[in-house]
Amino acid sequence: MTRAEEPALSYEDGARTIFLYTGGTEGKPPERLRQLARYMEHSTGENAQTAGLARLHEIVTEVKADREVGLAYMKAFEVEKRIRDEGRAEGKAEAVMALLEEIGLVSEDLEKRLREQKDQDILRKWLKLAARVNSVEEFERQAGLIRAAGE
């Protein structure tokens, strides 16, 4: 059995978590800690003022130069951006529905079409439109969402 499988087991491995606010001005942190904070804010060779920071800077530079790490970072960044964008789209669609529900009944079909829309510009236009119209039908007509008979 590994430790991960026994949550009540104490690790007692000496590991500690430290939250470091690099922009703080309170107290009198040791010079080494101030140097580390400066390097963390601006990871440049000029800010690597100790042997330890110089070694850290070498590692950072190597990792940044590693094409695979760069690609993995970019992929992670793109995934996070897509998740944020999807969240924004979902929020806008919810806002459109909330406005429309104030003035009438939102059909399941319209709700589905609102939720399926991912284009931020279209959703932004729909949100503004939903705030102006007097009926759900008027919104559907002006948004171009009226389905022809037989669709």
Side-chain angles (χ1 to χ4, degrees):
M1 181 184 304
T2 67
R3 289 182 177 186
E5 295 171 353
E6 185 55 54
L9 183 63
S10 175
Y11 287 87
E12 296 187 28
D13 60 1
R16 293 184 182 161
T17 301
I18 298 173
F19 295 93
L20 181 63
Y21 175 59
T22 61
T25 58
E26 295 293 317
K28 297 194 185 285
E31 180 60 25
R32 289 179 60 184
L33 183 55
R34 286 198 305 267
Q35 289 172 344
L36 174 61
R38 196 173 312 119
Y39 179 78
M40 292 174 84
E41 284 184 352
H42 306 284
S43 303
T44 64
E46 297 82 44
N47 286 329
Q49 297 176 350
T50 65
L53 289 177
R55 178 65 186 128
L56 176 62
H57 186 67
E58 287 175 23
I59 293 168
V60 168
T61 302
E62 288 174 20
V63 169
K64 285 181 176 179
D66 186 328
R67 182 169 162 75
E68 285 184 34
V69 172
L71 289 173
Y73 172 78
M74 288 306 294
K75 286 178 186 172
F77 179 78
E78 289 169 5
V79 168
E80 289 174 8
K81 183 183 181 311
R82 187 172 65 232
I83 290 168
R84 283 192 302 274
D85 288 348
E86 287 173 4
R88 285 185 192 108
E90 187 175 308
K92 282 186 179 87
E94 289 293 328
V96 170
M97 282 189 288
L99 287 170
L100 293 176
E101 287 170 346
E102 291 290 320
I103 56 175
L105 180 65
V106 177
S107 69
E108 286 182 26
D109 179 58
L110 177 56
E111 181 178 342
K112 180 179 179 222
R113 294 173 83 186
L114 291 170
R115 290 184 193 281
E116 287 173 349
Q117 182 56 255
K118 302 300 179 207
D119 185 303
Q120 295 288 327
D121 292 331
I122 291 173
L123 286 164
R124 193 174 301 108
K125 289 175 187 174
W126 287 357
L127 186 55
K128 290 176 183 178
L129 178 61
R132 287 193 322 260
V133 297
N134 295 314
S135 70
V136 174
E137 294 76 21
E138 182 182 353
F139 171 83
E140 287 179 297
R141 209 173 26 258
Q142 289 188 26
L145 294 172
I146 298 285
R147 291 194 188 261
E151 273 192 70

